[in-house]
Amino acid sequence: MSDARIPLPFHEAAPAALEDGQLRRNLAHVTTSIRAKRADATAELPDWEALRQAGKAIKDHTLRNLGTYLRRLEARVEAAGGTVHWARDAAEANRIVRDLVAAEGVREVVKVKSMTTDEIDLNGALAEDGVVAIETDLAELIVQLAEEPSSHILVPAIHKNRAEIRRLFLEAFDLPPEALSDDPAELAGAARRFLRERFLEARVAVSGANFAVAETGTTCIVESEGNGRMCTTLPETLITVLGIEKVVPTWRDLEVFLQTLPRSSTAERMNPYTSFWTGVHGGDGPRAFHLVLLDGGRSATLADDVGRATLRCIRCSACLNVCPIYERVGGHAYGSTYPGPIGAILTPQLRGEPRDGELPYASTLCGACYDVCPVAIDIPSILVDMRRRTVDARRAERALPVGDAVDAALRGAAVAFATPRRYEAAQRLARLGQAPWVRGGVLRNLPGPLAGWSDVRDLRAIPRQAFRDWWRERGGADGEGDA
Amino acid sequence: MSGDEARDAILGAVDAATDAVRDGDPDAAHATLARDYRSVGALDGAARLDRFEGRLVDYGVDVVRLRAADVADALGARLDRRRAAHVVVPRGTPDAWRPAFAGRTTVRDDAPHDALEAADATVSGCAVAVAETGTIALDGGPGMGRRAASLLPDVHLCVVRASQVVELLPEAQARLQEAAAAGAPITWISGPSATSDIELERVAGVHGPRTLVVLLVEDA
Ligand code: SF4
């Protein structure tokens, strides 16, 4: 299934996703159950709205004064024995990490799930040096073994059922069929034994982070399984890649986000584990800490209100779970690390590829995403604003009605997503080649910037060496049974 | 190093983009941000402990309420029940708890990783605990051990004194400010390790301790 690594534009990927019955059932299940639980978890707090407004205010303030807080963060991290690196884009960030890993002379690093490292395709970059990044979140490991991209920020393996996971594990850990049932607890146990060896062996860990505190130089990871604790504690060297928008001014500010994030994200009062570390600490944890601060299009989006509002996002995924379109098509269809409503506004601003221009149309503007957002990002208004900008840009560039035609077609897409029946009807039309917005008889032949819409297939390179091949070469599952 | 070049370019771009919206004194502006959420709890002592216990039970934590004089006995009983022969006992653990470790092999928290990995259980205290979220915070102070010690063994027994339990997260955050400013590694634990990654079925324990026992000391 190496094809799955190549993102299609939304209008091509969405129909395929809709046809995948397992994915659709699982997505419907997760989104409905998390949605209900999230509502309870937030209603339980009498001051939810005050927390939400405080989160918005803190993030807004930080982004307006980002230069001050980034400089402060850098100074504090270095005073605490860490090293700060700056990366303008994905290539620079990957280069920094590759050089650090090469200096340690290791072939394997353990990695904790991170959207930022996904965004820069760090695993692919490391693979070019023959370095394997072992994903240590259970779901990420499953997705890695299956050689598929993840389909949900929170539950990346949601498209896989237990029988499929068992088959993957039997093969990857080289177990006889009788050694493992498809009981989730047993499957988790098998992954625990496999990964424990990796944690104890690993000399280098790579992570993202949820927050960094300028005042103290503290970095923070919010997680459930304990692999974040393992990665930030056991290896000698820890490399953390952080988007520059994730800094907060003070330690106290975390009291807001660490209340709103878990309730919005997994609908829990608190996630099982939150780790905070500050540079290096004698006798406890890594001896070297590298913080890679990634711009990656963020500074360019800071200038206007819409961009700053978008950068408030704390990646909780609540907006995905309430989104009627996301529920139907899943995460793969967005062709980006960031799917769903937030992806529809974030991806075009950060990445700005021509094909991302259609993402703001993958919405019915129902407003549910705004209501749940713990930092009160008004996603529907931003979508409308971005649609307007897309159209204006095309008009300016081409002085032709083409922009209008595309816009009308894409507005058709938004309408078509509004109900499943309409969407399915649109799909049938698409197969017959009668819906220009879907297959792009119009779009495909467009010259200039719009040509990019049909020219996306080589965007993300297939990893040089597939994880399963690497694992087989490495000698298979030596970790089993002797942990 | 081209690093300085990237640094200057990024900070330059950030400064240019925010030129029109920056505050003259960011710290002063930060101090005026509205924080209309609760920062001081309203529950009295007993209700606070009840809430803390209830939250822990929801997470699948084994909670024991006891008096200070009974900690050693209770620890011993729980270690027996888990058949814990090898126990991590961090530096700074109160001497009064020592009888619980009689007849067991003990390792200190600064032992190498493989020695910690070989242990059956870890005993620790905590820095502060939050009733509303069922959270225990460890900051590496006396009796808490380095982080690997409360991570590698499969059972974690944590002794929490009633005076360490606050109602709300902001209260805990204030108590941890000094440790954070001093660069201490801090870990919040809210129930045992968990995952819902396989068909959304919640199972305890992928990587961290699968069993968390909290001994809540009511008179300390
Ligand atoms: S936009 Fe808001 S709701 Fe969506 S992931 Fe970001 S913080 Fe969460």
Side-chain angles (χ1 to χ4, degrees):
Chain A
M1 277 274 299
S2 53
D3 254 17
R5 295 285 301 172
I6 308 169
L8 295 170
F10 186 85
H11 68 265
E12 288 185 24
L18 276 167
E19 274 167 18
D20 184 338
Q22 180 76 42
L23 173 60
R24 215 169 149 179
R25 271 192 303 281
N26 290 356
L27 273 174
H29 176 49
V30 69
T31 48
T32 341
S33 73
I34 289 188
R35 217 184 285 166
K37 283 196 217 151
R38 191 211 67 87
D40 292 347
T42 55
E44 182 182 278
L45 292 183
D47 51 353
W48 178 256
E49 189 53 31
L51 285 164
R52 189 171 174 250
Q53 293 306 327
K56 173 181 188 244
I58 293 167
K59 281 281 182 180
D60 270 340
H61 166 83
T62 310
L63 292 165
R64 279 190 276 107
N65 296 282
L66 194 58
T68 298
Y69 293 121
L70 285 173
R71 289 179 177 88
R72 194 172 292 173
L73 175 69
E74 176 189 45
R76 296 295 186 276
V77 169
E78 300 214 314
T83 308
V84 175
H85 309 258
W86 300 78
R88 275 168 285 200
D89 53 25
E92 278 189 0
N94 286 333
R95 175 45 51 205
I96 291 165
V97 178
R98 284 166 71 170
D99 288 348
L100 290 170
V101 170
E104 296 296 322
V106 297
R107 311 303 286 172
E108 293 173 30
V109 301
V110 286
K111 185 157 169 279
V112 56
K113 173 170 89 178
S114 138
M115 302 192 67
T116 311
T117 53
D118 239 39
E119 176 188 324
I120 62 175
D121 190 22
L122 179 62
N123 292 11
L126 288 170
E128 288 182 29
D129 298 337
V131 173
V132 169
I134 301 172
E135 295 290 355
T136 60
D137 288 82
L138 180 57
E140 291 293 324
L141 176 70
I142 293 167
V143 177
Q144 186 175 51
L145 291 173
E147 292 162 16
E148 287 169 5
S150 56
S151 54
H152 191 284
I153 293 189
L154 212 60
V155 215
I158 186 143
H159 56 296
K160 286 267 171 263
N161 65 28
R162 61 182 74 192
E164 292 172 289
I165 294 166
R166 172 173 175 268
R167 275 199 298 278
L168 280 174
F169 282 9
L170 285 176
E171 193 195 333
F173 309 157
D174 199 21
L175 299 172
E178 66 277 8
L180 194 60
S181 80
D182 65 2
D183 171 41
E186 252 190 66
L187 293 170
R192 176 188 176 96
R193 286 189 296 278
F194 168 73
L195 286 171
R196 183 61 65 100
E197 292 257 316
R198 310 279 90 75
F199 287 130
L200 289 167
E201 276 175 11
R203 282 172 33 217
V204 179
V206 178
S207 82
N210 295 88
F211 305 98
V213 181
E215 172 193 37
T216 56
T218 305
T219 330
C220 165
I221 285 187
V222 172
E223 52 135 355
S224 295
E225 296 179 6
N227 56 318
R229 292 176 73 188
M230 294 278 177
C231 284
T232 56
T233 304
L234 299 181
E236 285 158 29
T237 299
L238 172 60
I239 305 168
T240 299
V241 183
L242 186 88
I244 54 172
E245 84 284 17
K246 288 194 176 161
V247 62
V248 296
T250 65
W251 172 254
R252 184 187 174 192
D253 292 327
L254 291 176
E255 73 193 17
V256 175
F257 303 108
L258 294 175
Q259 291 191 73
T260 54
L261 178 56
R263 288 179 197 258
S264 300
S265 179
T266 46
E268 292 168 298
R269 292 186 176 114
M270 187 58 78
N271 51 289
Y273 299 136
T274 303
S275 297
F276 308 89
W277 71 98
T278 305
V280 293
H281 196 75
D284 188 344
R287 268 175 257 170
F289 171 57
H290 297 273
L291 182 64
V292 181
L293 294 173
L294 170 72
D295 184 335
R298 288 155 174 85
S299 62
T301 67
L302 271 176
D304 60 71
D305 293 348
V306 162
R308 284 196 306 278
T310 307
L311 291 178
R312 292 205 297 264
C313 174
I314 56 171
R315 315 278 191 267
C316 73
S317 81
C319 58
L320 278 62
N321 296 321
V322 296
C323 178
I325 296 201
Y326 180 80
E327 182 179 340
R328 280 172 206 137
V329 302
H332 292 158
Y334 292 82
S336 148
T337 305
Y338 306 103
I342 180 59
I345 61 170
L346 185 61
T347 304
Q349 295 188 73
L350 288 191
R351 193 162 71 175
E353 287 172 14
R355 76 201 188 86
D356 296 332
E358 72 177 12
L359 289 175
Y361 292 87
S363 166
T364 66
L365 303 179
C366 72
C369 47
Y370 176 41
D371 293 342
V372 298
C373 179
V375 284
I377 303 176
D378 185 355
I379 297 176
S381 299
I382 294 177
L383 287 168
V384 171
D385 186 70
M386 290 175 68
R387 290 180 190 183
R388 188 180 46 70
R389 284 201 230 178
T390 305
V391 173
D392 287 351
R394 286 198 191 112
R395 282 218 186 91
E397 264 168 47
R398 307 194 44 79
L400 274 178
V402 167
D404 288 332
V406 173
D407 187 51
L410 287 170
R411 253 189 279 117
V415 173
F417 281 118
T419 71
R421 209 156 26 84
R422 265 202 227 149
Y423 190 94
E424 275 149 27
Q427 255 188 291
R428 281 195 297 279
L429 281 176
R431 275 196 221 105
L432 295 170
Q434 289 172 3
W437 60 269
V438 177
R439 201 55 200 153
V442 174
L443 306 184
R444 187 151 300 231
N445 301 323
L446 285 173
L450 294 180
W453 282 36
S454 48
D455 183 26
V456 296
R457 287 174 175 276
D458 54 353
L459 181 80
R460 209 186 324 175
I462 305 167
R464 292 269 156 85
Q465 190 183 26
F467 183 80
R468 275 194 291 193
D469 295 341
W470 164 81
W471 182 241
R472 249 181 252 116
E473 267 172 34
R474 194 184 178 280
D478 52 271
E480 194 45 45
D482 54 2
Chain B
M1 281 242 306
S2 68
D4 284 348
E5 194 190 311
R7 177 187 188 275
D8 294 346
I10 294 171
L11 288 173
V14 166
D15 289 344
T18 52
D19 199 34
V21 292
R22 266 202 307 272
D23 294 302
D25 181 348
D27 293 318
H30 179 266
T32 65
L33 296 177
R35 296 175 192 265
D36 298 330
Y37 53 86
R38 296 168 299 157
S39 53
V40 182
L43 296 176
D44 68 19
R48 195 163 61 234
L49 293 192
D50 288 347
R51 174 155 302 174
F52 181 52
E53 180 178 2
R55 299 305 200 229
L56 292 173
V57 168
D58 278 355
Y59 293 143
V61 177
D62 177 10
V63 187
V64 196
R65 289 173 77 144
L66 72 183
R67 310 199 60 81
D70 301 325
V71 171
D73 280 354
L75 276 176
R78 299 282 147 167
L79 289 169
D80 283 345
R81 188 184 300 175
R82 307 280 168 192
R83 294 195 191 79
H86 284 68
V87 183
V88 182
V89 179
R91 292 159 289 171
T93 297
D95 286 337
W97 303 355
R98 295 273 163 195
F101 315 126
R104 299 176 218 274
T105 309
T106 58
V107 268
R108 281 186 358 177
D109 64 286
D110 57 348
H113 289 159
D114 48 359
L116 298 173
E117 170 73 10
D120 302 304
T122 295
V123 170
S124 83
C126 78
V128 61
V130 186
E132 185 171 64
T133 58
T135 301
I136 294 154
L138 272 55
D139 67 7
M144 286 180 255
R146 66 174 177 137
R147 286 171 289 170
S150 50
L151 180 60
L152 291 170
D154 204 10
V155 177
H156 179 192
L157 299 103
C158 184
V159 179
V160 180
R161 290 182 274 119
S163 59
Q164 295 177 311
V165 181
V166 297
E167 181 183 336
L168 303 175
L169 200 68
E171 297 171 277
Q173 211 51 0
R175 287 204 194 185
L176 290 167
Q177 172 89 40
E178 208 176 305
I186 294 172
T187 307
W188 289 1
I189 299 169
S190 308
S193 156
T195 182
S196 303
D197 281 344
I198 301 174
E199 294 186 13
L200 288 183
E201 193 169 303
R202 190 183 164 96
V203 298
V206 191
H207 300 303
R210 282 179 283 199
T211 301
L212 176 61
V213 182
V214 168
L215 293 92
L216 182 53
V217 186
E218 299 189 73
D219 58 341

